[in-house]
């Protein structure tokens, strides 16, 4: 990913695919898990989860993967689980969303200057994608970055999201070590790190709501 791109060149190319096909065959373990979930819960989404928000946004939030009871069920990132409760409340507080979050994709919530995607688009067993699955799915994350012409800030929720973003930003791990609240410059882009807003992290005190809000306050101040 380059930090200076021609609008004319970008518009003349076919837009890259930002979400895998519903029956994406690239990760056999995830395919088998998907099929089992479809058989057990046929009314759930049970497919790769598309990004949420405008491609013209300046902020991209990168999560780990869809949660079983959350995005894998509802089809919208961070919708229907505890992580979404904290994330969307914070986005609303800092003006990156408007409306009312009701934990369902038809609640009318809109993102403002913000887009959400995942490092891995399919739900993995035990919420733990394998390295090969992370690497395989990175092509879609790269496509998301490439289709956001006004992108300036990226929030990585957790180390896996952080590591997935480093390669397309041409950053080495030694140049940009993960740490909650850390900010890394990559040309015209800034990468902001946060611990993931999972129930486990908040229940154990690894991440408090104030710690989480501080990351978004920093981003808001830098973008204003």
């Amino acid at each position: 990913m380059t930090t200076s791109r021609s609008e004319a060149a970008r518009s003349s190319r076919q837009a890259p695919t930002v979400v895998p096909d519903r029956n994406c065959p690239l990760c056999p373990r995830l395919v088998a898990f998907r099929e089992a979930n479809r058989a057990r819960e046929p009314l759930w989404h049970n497919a790769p989860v598309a990004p949420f928000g405008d491609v013209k946004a300046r902020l991209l939030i990168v999560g780990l993967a869809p949660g079983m009871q959350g995005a894998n069920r509802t089809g919208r990132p961070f919708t229907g689980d505890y992580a979404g409760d904290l994330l969307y409340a914070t986005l609303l507080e800092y003006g990156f969303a408007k409306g009312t979050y009701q934990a369902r994709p038809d609640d009318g919530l809109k993102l403002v200057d913000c887009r959400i995607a995942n490092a891995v688009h399919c739900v993995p067993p035990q919420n733990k994608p394998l390295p090969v699955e992370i690497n395989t799915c990175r092509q879609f994350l790269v496509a998301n970055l490439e289709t956001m012409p006004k992108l300036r800030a990226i929030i990585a929720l957790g180390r896996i999201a952080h590591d997935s973003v480093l390669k397309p930003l041409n950053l080495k791990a030694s140049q940009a070590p993960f740490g909650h609240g850390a900010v890394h410059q990559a040309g015209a882009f800034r990468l902001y790190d946060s611990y993931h807003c999972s129930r486990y992290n908040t229940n154990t005190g690894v991440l408090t709501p104030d710690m989480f809000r501080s990351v978004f306050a920093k981003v808001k101040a830098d973008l204003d």
Side-chain angles (χ1 to χ4, degrees):
M1 181 177 180
T2 58
T3 56
S4 61
R5 294 165 292 184
S6 165
E7 291 285 349
R10 194 163 49 239
S11 63
S12 67
R13 298 195 304 265
Q14 182 177 0
T17 302
V18 299
V19 62
D21 181 81
R22 176 173 175 80
N23 296 308
C24 178
L26 296 179
C27 300
R29 188 181 75 118
L30 301 189
V31 171
F33 194 52
R34 177 202 306 152
E35 292 303 321
N37 291 333
R38 286 178 177 176
R40 186 176 61 253
E41 297 288 353
L43 299 182
W44 287 13
H45 178 71
N46 288 322
V49 175
F52 175 39
D54 192 347
V55 296
K56 296 180 181 179
R58 292 181 296 165
L59 170 62
L60 176 67
I61 300 168
V62 181
L64 170 57
M68 174 63 80
Q69 301 286 334
N72 179 66
R73 175 175 60 85
T74 65
R76 190 176 74 179
F78 289 90
T79 299
D81 56 17
Y82 175 80
D85 292 345
L86 179 55
L87 175 61
Y88 285 116
T90 305
L91 293 177
L92 286 162
E93 180 177 352
Y94 287 95
F96 290 115
K98 62 182 179 180
T100 302
Y101 174 67
Q102 296 178 346
R104 64 177 195 270
D106 62 349
D107 56 15
L109 183 82
K110 303 293 184 182
L111 298 186
V112 179
D113 203 18
C114 176
R115 185 169 168 87
I116 304 173
N118 280 314
V120 176
H121 287 71
C122 293
V123 60
Q126 300 178 329
N127 291 322
K128 295 179 179 179
L130 300 177
V132 66
E133 294 161 352
I134 298 167
N135 291 335
T136 298
C137 211
R138 186 176 290 113
Q139 62 184 292
F140 302 105
L141 176 60
V142 171
N144 271 283
L145 296 171
E146 291 286 356
T147 54
M148 296 183 68
K150 297 182 179 180
L151 180 64
R152 290 295 175 267
I154 302 168
I155 297 177
L157 300 180
R159 183 180 297 275
I160 289 177
H162 167 92
D163 290 346
S164 290
V165 170
L166 292 185
K167 288 188 177 181
L169 291 183
N170 295 318
L171 286 174
K172 296 180 180 179
S174 59
Q175 296 174 304
F178 176 79
H180 182 82
V183 182
H184 312 284
Q185 193 74 38
F189 307 100
R190 282 185 177 178
L191 172 61
Y192 300 77
D193 288 338
S194 173
Y195 293 136
H196 196 281
C197 49
S198 66
R199 184 184 295 273
Y200 176 82
N201 280 347
T202 56
N203 282 351
T204 58
V206 170
L207 178 70
T208 66
D210 283 345
M211 290 170 62
F212 196 58
R213 286 194 292 266
S214 70
V215 174
F216 286 84
K218 175 64 173 172
V219 173
K220 184 69 172 179
D222 289 347
L223 288 178
D224 284 348

